[in-house]
Amino acid sequence: MTEVAAAPPMIRLKAVDKFFGPLHVLKDINLEIPKGEVVVVLGPSGSGKSTLCRAINRLEPINSGVIEVDGQPLPAEGKDLARLRADVGMVFQSFNLFAHKSIVDNVTLAPVKVRKIAKDEARKTAMELLERVGIANQSDKYPAQLSGGQQQRVAIARALAMRPKVMLFDEPTSALDPEMVQEVLDVMTSLAKEGMTMLVVTHEMGFARKAADRVIFMADGEVVEDSTPESFFTAPKSNRAKDFLGKIL
Ligand code: ADP
Ligand code: MG
């Protein structure tokens, strides 16, 4: 009889610890995110949410434990790291677009450089992605000519242009004027519906309730709760989560 190995989870963290000097910011994190799942990470400021995201694509080295993306452990450095990092798209609070490049060039650069995709093809894909996030008609402008919400949608298109297996979002709407939050959440919601595996740090509870398959609540570097949005919002188990929800809802 042959044994069929189960598909690996898209993201797996095993016993991950991270210190900043004496500060223990990720404490024995064990987490598996299956392919296609949308996980919202909640927690008070300083609980380690950003560090968790940054560790998953090695912007931040960990002190111990294992992080795997699609069954591949993350290498420490070199070509393999660049390739694996390209599998993990990341969108930050600050959009980090290249100010001196046009919108379409922002979306084209990395695929040509890192993925070695031909320029014509990269441009065609970029235009399709800009269409998808509703910015195609702004493709020749520069970032400063766009609103914050538009720039963040470009940042999402830019991450998608690398054909990532996973998308990490670290408070993608926190720097936006309120009227621009929904247009970015709409793009994220459609991405979730298309089956993208997503880890989303956000304070947008509407998004968490509607789009998340799962909510993870972090406090002091630990995963304190890991449940469905329904049970997290209606019946949080820990006092820390109750306290957190009491403050934001
Ligand atoms: P969150 O995103 O949940 O607000 P962070 O992951 O940014 O939390 O931070 C977790 C803890 O690590 C905080 O106490 C923060 O001050 C600290 N920290 C984050 N980045 C650094 C760094 N580069 N050097 C030292 N301490 C840091
Ligand atoms: Mg943060």
Side-chain angles (χ1 to χ4, degrees), residues 176-220:
L176 299 177
D177 291 335
E179 73 271 21
M180 291 165 190
V181 168
Q182 199 53 48
E183 66 194 50
V184 173
L185 294 178
D186 287 347
V187 169
M188 292 166 61
T189 302
S190 74
L191 204 54
K193 285 198 180 126
E194 288 161 27
M196 177 62 80
T197 308
M198 294 166 53
L199 184 79
V200 183
V201 179
T202 185
H203 299 297
E204 293 296 330
M205 297 303 138
F207 178 82
R209 281 174 187 273
K210 272 201 315 224
D213 296 304
R214 188 171 156 198
V215 168
I216 285 173
F217 176 72
M218 287 183 75
D220 292 331

Side-chain angles (χ1 to χ4, degrees), residues 20 23 25 44-51 60:
F20 283 117
L23 198 62
V25 288
S45 176
S47 55
K49 307 179 300 295
S50 292
T51 306
E60 210 55 86

Side-chain angles (χ1 to χ4, degrees), residues 82-96:
R83 190 172 47 76
L84 275 185
R85 196 180 266 162
D87 287 340
V88 183
M90 181 131 182
V91 174
F92 303 88
Q93 181 174 329
S94 53
F95 333 120
N96 299 338

Side-chain angles (χ1 to χ4, degrees), residues 107-164:
V107 183
T108 312
L109 276 174
V112 171
K113 256 197 160 151
V114 179
R115 290 283 200 214
K116 308 292 178 207
I117 292 169
K119 269 199 181 131
D120 287 359
E121 194 193 328
R123 206 182 160 83
K124 188 166 161 274
T125 306
M127 289 308 297
E128 286 165 11
L129 288 169
L130 288 172
E131 185 74 49
R132 199 161 134 196
V133 300
I135 312 279
N137 58 349
Q138 320 268 7
S139 64
D140 291 328
K141 290 189 177 170
Y142 286 81
Q145 295 173 285
L146 270 54
S147 71
Q150 289 173 327
Q151 288 189 55
Q152 192 60 304
R153 285 185 277 147
V154 174
I156 294 172
R158 182 175 62 171
L160 291 175
M162 296 295 274
R163 306 207 175 289

